[in-house]
């Protein structure tokens, strides 16, 4: 079932990313809080692993990366979380700082709690030195209100970066 493009990785996502970047460029001191970055190991072996972090006042938001991978040895990855000054938006970026991962991912899911995803994107290669991010093909992953995840049978096992921008869930009317 298709969701509105503002939550997807098509034209609406490009527009949202451009808007977010413009907001940061125009008001860098007010746009987002200082992000928190935590390093963690992505471990091969075919076993499902998860890594979670909280951000915001009272740890309002949670970002969880769940995956299974094969091949090689552990890789150092990072998760960065930040919130807007008004704490109504938060970002979660999960990536391998060295660019391309050499692990073969059999599954992945980046999930948020406390917010709904407005933009989500997955990349087979993360920007490193003079190289740019390389996004996965649209058919390889899906974006829902709360997660960016692989599509079984379509995902080609390459993952190096995930980006999520989410807005606070409406809990009051």
């Amino acid at each position: 079932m298709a969701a509105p493009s503002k939550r997807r990785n098509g034209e609406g996502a490009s527009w949202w990313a451009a808007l977010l970047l413009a907001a940061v460029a125009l008001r860098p001191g007010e746009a987002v809080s200082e992000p928190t970055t935590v390093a963690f190991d992505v471990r091969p072996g075919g076993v499902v692993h998860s890594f979670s972090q909280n951000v915001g006042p009272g740890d309002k938001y949670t970002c969880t990366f769940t995956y299974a991978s094969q091949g090689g040895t552990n890789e150092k990855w990072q998760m960065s979380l930040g919130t807007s000054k008004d704490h109504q938006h938060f970002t979660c970026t999960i990536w391998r700082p060295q660019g391309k991962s050499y692990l073969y991912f059999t599954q992945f899911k980046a999930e948020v709690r406390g917010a709904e995803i407005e933009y989500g994107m997955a990349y087979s290669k993360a920007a490193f030195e003079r190289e740019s991010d390389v996004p996965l093909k649209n058919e390889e992953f899906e974006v829902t209100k709360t997660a960016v995840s692989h599509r079984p049978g379509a995902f080609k096992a390459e993952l190096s970066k995930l980006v999520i921008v989410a807005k606070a869930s409406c809990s009051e009317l």
Side-chain angles (χ1 to χ4, degrees), residues 133-146:
D133 289 337
V134 176
L136 292 181
K137 292 179 180 168
N138 292 345
E139 59 270 11
E140 291 186 75
F141 70 104
E142 65 182 338
V143 180
T144 66
K145 287 182 178 183
T146 59

Side-chain angles (χ1 to χ4, degrees), residues 11 19 26-27 39 46 48 66 81 84 93 101 104 112 129 131 136 158 165 171:
E11 288 178 34
L19 180 64
L26 292 173
R27 304 182 88 178
V48 175
T66 303
L81 298 151
S84 59
T93 304
S101 173
Y104 177 92
V112 298
E129 295 178 351
E131 298 177 10
L136 292 181
E158 294 182 67
V165 177
S171 58

Side-chain angles (χ1 to χ4, degrees), residues 12-26 118:
S14 298
W15 179 85
W16 173 249
L19 180 64
L20 183 65
L21 291 173
V24 171
L26 292 173
E118 291 193 337

Side-chain angles (χ1 to χ4, degrees), residues 37-40 42 51 76-80 93-97:
T37 301
V38 180
F40 66 99
V42 169
F51 182 79
K76 292 286 183 196
W77 282 52
Q78 294 183 348
M79 179 183 283
S80 289
T93 304
I94 303 156
W95 83 101
R96 182 166 193 254

Side-chain angles (χ1 to χ4, degrees), residues 42-58:
V42 169
R43 302 177 303 233
V47 178
V48 175
H49 297 281
S50 286
F51 182 79
S52 259
Q53 288 293 299
N54 300 317
V55 69

Side-chain angles (χ1 to χ4, degrees), residues 55 68 88 116 156 158 170-171:
V55 69
Q88 292 304 301
E116 290 187 1
K156 294 186 176 50
E158 294 182 67
C170 296
S171 58

